[in-house]
């Protein structure tokens, strides 16, 4: 299983090293390598930010589930799940924090099926 924190730190470290290489290339008037290093910095910075967002979402979902387990009724997260955002609210993840959860849907279908029998 992947570790977002490990990837975040690796991408941040790589971006810092490429920034130093870019500055060094610019000091020595090497424009082409500096441009390539700069592009690498952009890619690694985006990767570090993506992993940071992933970690933040994991923490929010964990806190939401903990509060729910304690009997509280927390409001759904925004977006309610990552699949909803990717599908423009047409599909929902099984860990969805709104009433659209796959587990709740299956439980509803099963209860209707039991009532019909």
């Amino acid at each position: 299983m992947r570790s977002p924190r490990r990837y975040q730190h690796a991408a941040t470290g790589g971006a810092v090293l490429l920034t130093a290489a870019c500055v060094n290339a610019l000091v020595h008037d090497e424009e082409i390598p500096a441009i390539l290093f700069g592009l690498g910095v952009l890619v690694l910075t985006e990767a570090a930010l993506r992993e940071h967002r992933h970690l933040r979402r994991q923490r929010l979902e964990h806190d939401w589930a903990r509060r729910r387990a304690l009997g509280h009724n927390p409001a759904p997260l925004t977006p309610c799940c990552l699949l909803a955002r990717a599908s423009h609210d047409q599909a929902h993840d099984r860990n969805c924090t709104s009433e659209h959860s796959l587990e709740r849907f299956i439980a509803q279908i099963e209860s209707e099926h039991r009532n019909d029998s």
Side-chain angles (χ1 to χ4, degrees):
M1 181 168 214
R2 70 188 204 117
S3 170
R5 186 174 308 272
R6 184 180 304 147
Y7 287 149
Q8 178 187 9
H9 291 313
T12 302
V16 169
L17 290 175
L18 283 180
T19 301
C22 181
V23 169
N24 186 40
L26 286 174
V27 167
H28 292 94
D29 292 327
E30 299 174 2
E31 290 84 16
I32 300 298
I35 291 171
L36 296 175
F37 289 141
L39 290 174
V41 168
L42 291 176
V43 169
L44 289 176
T45 300
E46 192 280 327
L49 291 173
R50 182 183 62 239
E51 295 303 327
H52 174 74
R53 287 188 303 267
H54 183 71
L55 278 168
R56 185 173 184 274
R57 177 66 188 203
Q58 276 184 340
R59 278 189 229 120
L60 288 173
E61 286 176 354
H62 178 73
D63 185 53
W64 185 88
R66 183 186 57 78
R67 291 190 347 232
R68 184 109 170 142
L70 291 173
H72 301 133
N73 191 13
L77 298 176
T78 304
C80 59
C81 63
L82 298 180
L83 185 58
R85 179 171 55 185
S87 68
H88 302 291
D89 211 30
Q90 297 300 310
H92 294 272
D93 195 328
R94 68 179 219 143
N95 295 329
C96 185
T97 60
S98 75
E99 68 276 357
H100 301 294
S101 170
L102 178 62
E103 290 174 349
R104 291 186 198 129
F105 177 72
I106 290 172
Q108 178 184 1
I109 297 298
E110 287 176 345
S111 70
E112 289 174 3
H113 180 68
R114 280 188 221 123
N115 292 339
D116 291 340
S117 300

